[in-house]
Amino acid sequence: MKAAVDKKLPENGGMQLDYQGERVLTTKRLAAMYEIAPNTIHQIYLRHRDQFEEGEHFFALTGEELKSFKKLYQDEVEKYVASLYLWTEKGALLIAQTQSGPQSWKSFSRYVHYYMEKSDELKQSVEEIRKVFNLK
């Protein structure tokens, strides 16, 4: 039986999440973006645990740290969750890379859309190119 997947992209599912100055996604949001079940993210992490570095690819929140994050983003975190993984941009890319077959390409494409096409720097560069070449 296939797990239910929330198909909303993170940018449509609520506000941008930031933690320690980094843009992050909850496991639930990352799974929705890649159109896979949250448990699949957890399984990928467990299978490739040695490739993920806490603080670079993800943050694992528990205790007071989790409590503080819940206060900031109450609508994003389930009330009774005891721990929460927040995936950084690098972690989201690593999750996409560790999938196989067509799902890997699909996830990578959605990663590019979410992180690269939406970046302010990219938008600014595109605007500058448009001005230089008189494009609308």
Side-chain angles (χ1 to χ4, degrees):
M1 185 163 118
K2 193 172 182 183
V5 175
D6 179 3
K7 299 226 181 203
K8 288 192 288 188
L9 279 173
E11 63 265 31
N12 297 329
M15 67 173 77
Q16 180 175 311
L17 305 179
D18 292 297
Y19 183 74
Q20 293 187 0
E22 286 201 52
R23 182 177 180 186
V24 295
L25 294 170
T26 63
T27 299
K28 184 176 178 179
R29 278 187 174 204
L30 184 58
M33 182 170 82
Y34 290 164
E35 294 185 355
I36 59 177
N39 192 46
T40 302
I41 302 281
H42 182 68
Q43 291 170 351
I44 290 169
Y45 169 72
L46 291 176
R47 275 196 308 267
H48 302 281
R49 179 181 311 185
D50 57 324
Q51 295 177 17
F52 290 94
E53 186 177 323
E54 187 166 1
E56 182 174 346
H57 298 106
F58 70 93
F59 297 99
L61 307 186
T62 58
E64 288 302 315
E65 209 171 16
L66 175 59
K67 205 174 193 179
S68 297
F69 189 82
K70 279 183 179 180
K71 284 181 184 176
L72 285 174
Y73 302 108
Q74 2 181 328
D75 295 338
E76 296 296 328
V77 183
E78 294 178 26
K79 189 174 184 178
Y80 297 107
V81 70
S83 64
L84 179 70
Y85 279 71
L86 301 174
W87 299 94
T88 66
E89 185 174 337
K90 289 179 181 178
L93 178 59
L94 196 51
I95 292 289
Q97 289 175 326
T98 54
Q99 295 180 67
S100 60
Q103 183 59 46
S104 176
W105 286 104
K106 187 176 185 179
S107 294
F108 184 74
S109 174
R110 294 176 73 81
Y111 170 89
V112 168
H113 171 75
Y114 183 69
Y115 282 104
M116 298 183 177
E117 290 181 4
K118 302 296 181 192
S119 78
D120 291 336
E121 289 176 10
L122 182 62
K123 286 180 185 176
Q124 185 177 359
S125 296
V126 168
E127 273 307 308
E128 289 174 14
I129 290 169
R130 285 182 175 158
K131 286 178 184 175
V132 168
F133 292 102
N134 288 325
L135 302 172
K136 293 187 181 192

